[in-house]
Amino acid sequence: MISFSSTQLWVHDQDVALDFYTNKLGFVVRADITVPEMGNFRWLSVGPAHQPDVSIVLMKIVGEPLMDEATRAKVEELTGKGFAGTVFLTTEDVDADYAALVERGVEFIEKPSDELYGRDSSFRDPSGNHIRLMTPREMG
């Protein structure tokens, strides 16, 4: 049996991302490990407190040897525009969480609206990653 455990987002600054995902979204830190032997590589992951087996790895956009400079710059540009992937979050009440997140300073690009699949909204994290927050509608 295959299970889902984590996904990875490129972030421009891991400390800024950590602050956003913990203090604004309310996630908890799953791991925050720095490895000096690997050039101070930092493995940073967060997730919802009530889902301990699910996490998002907040990966700093790095250069060599993983990416040459042109690729690193392109990944940074695409991330900033929200084209490096989308995270889909669900909630029981998107309107209440929208109001709470706006109060905490999250800038939404789409206010909650009714869609065929549920009530949906979206915002970006400080690196530009696109995040959808929705209350799914019962289908079927």
Side-chain angles (χ1 to χ4, degrees):
M1 174 176 17
I2 298 173
S3 300
F4 177 80
S5 66
S6 64
T7 190
Q8 173 258 316
L9 287 176
W10 292 115
V11 298
H12 298 167
D13 183 309
Q14 287 179 303
D15 290 324
V16 172
L18 177 61
D19 178 65
F20 180 82
Y21 282 91
T22 57
N23 294 322
K24 298 203 186 281
L25 296 189
F27 286 5
V28 297
V29 175
R30 299 272 191 257
D32 190 354
I33 302 165
T34 299
V35 185
E37 297 84 7
M38 296 177 62
N40 287 326
F41 171 81
R42 184 178 180 193
W43 180 266
L44 174 62
S45 63
V46 297
H50 64 281
Q51 288 184 298
D53 59 338
V54 176
S55 65
I56 299 173
V57 178
L58 303 171
M59 187 72 71
K60 181 180 177 184
I61 302 171
V62 296
E64 301 284 350
L66 184 60
M67 294 182 215
D68 60 31
E69 178 52 30
T71 302
R72 190 205 60 73
K74 184 58 82 179
V75 169
E76 187 168 294
E77 176 188 359
L78 292 174
T79 301
K81 293 179 178 179
F83 289 107
T86 300
V87 172
F88 296 87
L89 303 175
T90 59
T91 177
E92 294 177 1
D93 187 343
V94 70
D95 292 289
D97 284 323
Y98 167 83
L101 292 174
V102 168
E103 183 75 23
R104 292 182 209 147
V106 175
E107 296 181 24
F108 277 74
I109 54 177
E110 294 176 85
K111 294 180 179 179
S113 64
D114 290 320
E115 306 295 337
L116 290 174
Y117 50 86
R119 192 150 173 80
D120 188 39
S121 64
S122 72
F123 57 94
R124 296 186 193 280
D125 75 6
S127 296
N129 290 298
H130 185 217
I131 301 171
R132 300 210 72 86
L133 178 65
M134 65 177 280
T135 300
R137 177 174 302 186
E138 298 267 339
M139 302 291 277

